[in-house]
Amino acid sequence: MTRLFNDPAAFADEALEGFTAAHRRWVRPVTGGVVRAGATPAGQVAVVIGGGSGHYPAFSGLVGRGLAHGAAVGNVFASPSAQQIGSVARAAHGGAGVLLMYGNYAGDVLHFGQAAERLAADGIDARTFAVADDISSASPDESAKRRGIAGDLPVFKAAAAAAEQGLSLDEVVRVVERAGARTRSFGIAFSGCTLPGADHPLFTVPEARMAVGLGIHGEPGIGEEPLPTADEAARLLVDTLLKELPADVEGPAGQRAAVILNGLGSVKYEELFVVYRKVAALLDAAGVEIVDPEVGELVTSFDMAGVSLTLTWLDDRLEELWRAPADTPAYRKGALDAPEADDADDRAPVAEDVPDLAVAPASEASRHAAGTVLAALDAVAATVDTHVDELGRIDAVAGDGDHGIGMQRGSTAARRAATDAHELGAGAGTVLNRAADAWADKAGGTSGALWGTILRSLGTAVGDQDAPDAARVAAGVTEASAAVRRLGGAEVGDKTMVDVLVPFADTLADAVAGGLALTEAWARAATAADEAAAATAGLLPRKGRARPHAEKSLGTPDAGAHSLALITRAVHGVLLDHPHDHH
């Protein structure tokens, strides 16, 4: 378990602060993460990687010459927000565009995609690439749904080495697509991981058993088997990966492969070496030439006891990039020429996202309604605080167990931002929009992106001029329902928050159209939300981190659906207390 921490909510920020203090030769801090200590050379594509904390040396430890130009760092097991990613990307940009790279998780896909859109709107050519190497998380014909685990390293390195050679952004993207298509990983675990401040692991493995096909966010494996010897573990890892070769690799004999035996947090290096001696022998017997193997902790999962094996099947070009030198805090290879002089005092200041604190003019009616909005956000945060442990337990059944803490971070930040905006005299729309940005920024993860979208949809519909009547509120909720489905790609029946959001929005719109006042219409919609959330217990998840463990979640409601239902009921209580602030 994680023993050394102060406030668990501050753990990721404090870890990053200590990391940058310890590694000033390589990195410097910027809002949202770190960039190289020396500026990106003019005209060089910037490779910006990122993801949640808890995986060190991924992601911040891989920033330096020959590898990433910057890393956006989210909270524990939560993707960084679009604002954090954009800030790091702007700081790393050298004028030739940015390639944003991350593991293939829903929250990362959402936030990195949003960041790329915002960078493009500012005139910075930005592309995204999701590493999807974990063969246990989806079948070969659904390989785009696979998670990114330790295969992050060879794919990140291929892109970065290509960028160092001066290739254009289009050419770097072509390289990374080939590297990603030729990378496969598979993992096993003997115990789950425990988040800072938690008193139990996210999942447990029975004595003398191992979980097969685990994730790196504390997701349980897809099956269990008897605890193997080191040689049996090596054989399972190698045999599983050799069964699935890239389409253009006819057989292992005569092939070259980059090989990574990765420790997930609490397997000792000596244990890894015992396993690797058999991995090397088995690959040699299969006719595979091992190129520059790596044995150690490269993508971890806090204190999880487990190992994963990654193979990247090389051609001449990919081998050149894999062998290229690199110098980062956590990963070094070969020798680089001395860097050009880079006087920190002469360096141009980094362009970062600086929030504009001035609020738009608002009518008296809208400013009055903003008080009700603030009361509703207070109730949301209080409800999440009350249920945070329960939400975490529900999420841990088949997911990674962080839904409660993510919702807590988001709702607390939203309440704080809304309070600040209200005190500046903002209208209801601006209060909601400030809350939306804060929720997305501080929560990260999928739920952060989706709740940011919900609040922004409401803020846009309500505006700052008119008193928000029932029709405007219903229209905002309807737009939120559509926007969440567009952004997350989920539909009713996928066992996500959408299963509650759609019936809530539809019921609210119908009740308002039928002439009910907002308080009565909301009550009817909240009841529909309660029923829909309970009904998710009978669904199999088809989206998100719970999907590979679908059967485990049968009988348990979806955590995102349950939290949304709780929130709609809490907001109804506020509407009852403020009956004259809306029509």
Side-chain angles (χ1 to χ4, degrees):
M1 62 186 297
T2 309
R3 295 175 178 86
L4 294 171
F5 56 89
N6 297 307
D7 175 1
F11 183 88
D13 289 341
E14 291 182 349
L16 189 64
E17 191 180 332
F19 164 77
T20 55
H23 295 296
R24 289 199 171 102
R25 183 185 130 196
W26 291 275
V27 299
R28 60 194 168 102
V30 295
T31 302
V34 296
V35 295
R36 291 186 192 177
T40 298
Q44 187 174 111
V45 170
V47 174
V48 172
I49 63 176
S53 298
H55 304 304
Y56 191 84
F59 295 87
S60 52
L62 303 179
V63 174
R65 291 197 302 149
L67 242 162
H69 297 77
V73 182
N75 221 304
V76 177
F77 291 175
S79 61
S81 69
Q83 190 168 322
Q84 290 174 300
I85 298 158
S87 169
V88 173
R90 288 181 178 86
H93 187 225
V98 180
L99 176 59
L100 304 174
M101 299 184 67
Y102 46 91
N104 189 30
Y105 297 91
D108 294 290
V109 172
L110 293 179
H111 288 291
F112 279 90
Q114 288 177 335
E117 289 173 3
R118 294 179 193 176
L119 290 165
D122 291 344
I124 296 174
D125 193 357
R127 315 288 175 81
T128 64
F129 186 84
V131 181
D133 57 304
D134 176 18
I135 68 171
S136 70
S137 53
S139 61
D141 57 347
E142 290 192 305
S143 58
K145 293 183 178 178
R146 288 177 167 174
R147 305 179 284 218
I149 51 174
D152 284 356
L153 175 64
V155 181
F156 291 167
K157 188 171 188 302
E164 294 272 355
Q165 292 178 349
L167 270 62
S168 70
L169 184 55
D170 285 339
E171 291 169 319
V172 172
V173 169
R174 279 196 290 275
V175 164
V176 82
E177 286 171 345
R178 183 154 180 79
R182 284 178 149 245
T183 299
R184 305 279 189 280
S185 300
F186 182 70
I188 56 178
F190 316 109
S191 74
C193 55
T194 305
L195 300 185
D199 56 6
H200 58 277
L202 292 174
F203 73 92
T204 56
V205 181
E207 198 70 31
R209 305 280 289 176
M210 71 171 171
V212 177
L214 61 131
I216 56 165
H217 297 95
E219 307 101 318
I222 56 172
E224 280 180 10
E225 294 185 14
L227 191 68
T229 64
D231 284 0
E232 288 167 348
R235 186 173 294 281
L236 173 65
L237 294 169
V238 171
D239 288 352
T240 303
L241 288 179
L242 291 186
K243 281 177 191 161
E244 192 198 308
L245 301 175
D248 55 352
V249 174
E250 292 182 2
Q255 298 293 335
R256 291 163 290 162
V259 178
I260 298 171
L261 184 67
N262 175 60
L264 280 151
S266 62
V267 173
K268 302 305 294 179
Y269 272 66
E270 286 88 346
E271 294 175 272
L272 292 174
F273 290 133
V274 172
V275 174
Y276 183 73
R277 67 178 247 297
K278 188 64 173 179
V279 166
L282 291 168
L283 288 173
D284 183 60
V288 178
E289 179 187 342
I290 296 172
V291 179
D292 280 8
E294 296 285 350
V295 179
E297 293 188 344
L298 293 155
V299 179
T300 61
S301 183
F302 259 107
D303 59 339
M304 184 188 288
V307 297
S308 65
L309 181 66
T310 298
L311 301 180
T312 297
W313 299 94
L314 302 172
D315 55 21
D316 291 347
R317 184 77 176 102
L318 290 176
E319 180 171 347
E320 175 194 1
L321 299 170
W322 176 241
R323 288 188 184 273
D327 183 24
T328 76
Y331 183 87
R332 290 162 216 166
K333 177 180 281 192
L336 284 156
D337 296 335
E340 295 176 17
D342 182 53
D343 190 334
D345 293 333
D346 295 338
R347 192 184 298 137
V350 167
E352 296 183 39
D353 289 335
V354 179
D356 179 9
L357 296 178
V359 299
S363 69
E364 184 58 40
S366 185
R367 283 201 296 270
H368 181 71
T372 304
V373 170
L374 182 57
L377 290 167
D378 272 338
V380 169
T383 297
V384 170
D385 284 346
T386 300
H387 295 277
V388 62
D389 292 338
E390 175 195 3
L391 295 174
R393 280 195 303 274
I394 292 172
D395 189 36
V397 171
D400 55 7
D402 70 347
H403 184 69
I405 194 169
M407 290 291 289
Q408 191 173 49
R409 282 195 299 260
S411 59
T412 300
R415 171 169 59 187
R416 192 178 304 123
T419 301
D420 292 345
H422 184 53
E423 288 174 355
L424 291 171
T430 294
V431 166
L432 280 163
N433 288 339
R434 293 282 173 91
D437 290 346
W439 192 313
D441 195 36
K442 294 302 181 189
T446 311
S447 71
L450 298 181
W451 272 98
T453 297
I454 289 170
L455 296 180
R456 183 160 283 282
S457 297
L458 275 167
T460 301
V462 166
D464 288 328
Q465 295 310 312
D466 301 314
D469 60 15
R472 275 179 190 271
V473 173
V477 173
T478 297
E479 171 51 29
S481 170
V484 163
R485 281 176 283 165
R486 279 197 305 272
L487 186 62
E491 290 296 340
V492 171
D494 287 344
K495 194 164 187 171
T496 70
M497 74 179 325
V498 167
D499 287 301
V500 169
L501 184 55
V502 168
F504 175 77
D506 291 351
T507 304
L508 182 67
D510 289 347
V512 169
L516 284 185
L518 180 60
T519 304
E520 288 72 31
W522 194 284
R524 187 175 292 182
T527 299
D530 291 337
E531 293 167 355
T536 62
L539 296 175
L540 287 171
R542 297 201 293 251
K543 287 277 178 184
R545 288 188 194 153
R547 188 182 55 79
H549 317 292
E551 282 72 22
K552 292 192 175 186
S553 79
L554 262 184
T556 302
D558 176 69
H562 184 56
S563 61
L564 175 55
L566 290 170
I567 284 169
T568 62
R569 187 58 68 191
V571 171
H572 178 243
V574 173
L575 295 177
L576 285 172
D577 291 340
H578 296 75
H580 303 300
D581 293 351
H582 47 80
H583 302 303

